[in-house]
Amino acid sequence: MIIEMEQDLKAKIDQACRTAEEFTKLYYESLDKRRYLISRMYMDSATLIWNGNGVTGKDNIQKFWTDLPSSEHSVHTLDAQPITGPEVANQLTFLVKVGGQVKYDDKNSKPFNQTFLITAMGDKWKIVSDCFRAQELLDNNTTS
């Protein structure tokens, strides 16, 4: 029984990693090159938190992304894990964490972190929650 549970969890972890690779490739290609289609990746009631600004609903998220300057993302780190528990027992759901660099227009690139909660809807993955944060370097030269 325990071995079966461990094998099932390992299979879910492997699937989460494969899914995260495919999902992030599609997501950042869409965001950087076909932003007008990005709302297709979100659930109707999805939430986006972008550098502390909250947006709810895929149509509002579409407008938010469209209003931002053009971007170029490069992914450096990627992690994924299955979300298990009674609230998602029948729904395949993964937590995906991404780290990388983003460049807007012709400005300097900045490090960013992004965390997605994605869930299977038929044969497509939909974003339930999306949290993006550009990283600012801490000033370590200050004296106390």
Side-chain angles (χ1 to χ4, degrees):
M1 178 79 169
I2 291 177
I3 292 174
E4 284 177 25
M5 286 173 41
E6 287 176 1
Q7 288 173 336
D8 183 47
L9 183 56
K10 176 157 180 20
K12 284 182 179 172
I13 292 168
D14 290 344
Q15 183 182 12
C17 292
R18 284 191 311 275
T19 299
E21 286 179 21
E22 294 167 12
F23 168 81
T24 54
K25 184 176 187 295
L26 177 63
Y27 178 83
Y28 292 109
E29 279 179 7
S30 296
L31 191 58
D32 292 341
K33 298 178 181 141
R34 294 178 300 279
R35 194 175 286 178
Y36 62 95
L37 297 174
I38 198 72
S39 70
R40 294 181 182 183
M41 298 190 73
Y42 289 85
M43 289 185 66
D44 290 346
S45 60
T47 302
L48 166 68
I49 307 291
W50 190 88
N51 287 319
N53 299 293
V55 184
T56 303
K58 77 177 194 176
D59 293 338
N60 293 330
I61 292 170
Q62 176 72 56
K63 181 178 179 344
F64 181 86
W65 282 125
T66 304
D67 289 348
L68 287 179
S70 61
S71 59
E72 188 179 323
H73 291 80
S74 57
V75 173
H76 299 166
T77 62
L78 180 60
D79 187 30
Q81 64 188 51
I83 302 296
T84 58
E87 63 281 353
V88 291
N90 298 324
Q91 189 71 25
L92 197 52
T93 303
F94 298 139
L95 181 69
V96 179
K97 296 182 63 92
V98 180
Q101 294 282 125
V102 61
K103 184 176 179 176
Y104 293 103
D105 285 337
D106 288 329
K107 296 191 168 76
N108 293 334
S109 63
K110 286 184 173 185
F112 78 92
N113 286 319
Q114 195 161 9
T115 304
F116 301 95
L117 189 63
I118 62 173
T119 193
M121 301 285 288
D123 63 347
K124 304 252 188 276
W125 289 97
K126 297 287 186 175
I127 300 167
V128 178
S129 175
D130 176 356
C131 184
F132 176 96
R133 178 69 73 177
Q135 302 296 295
E136 300 293 336
L137 295 175
L138 291 175
D139 183 5
N140 291 328
N141 296 326
T142 57
T143 55
S144 30

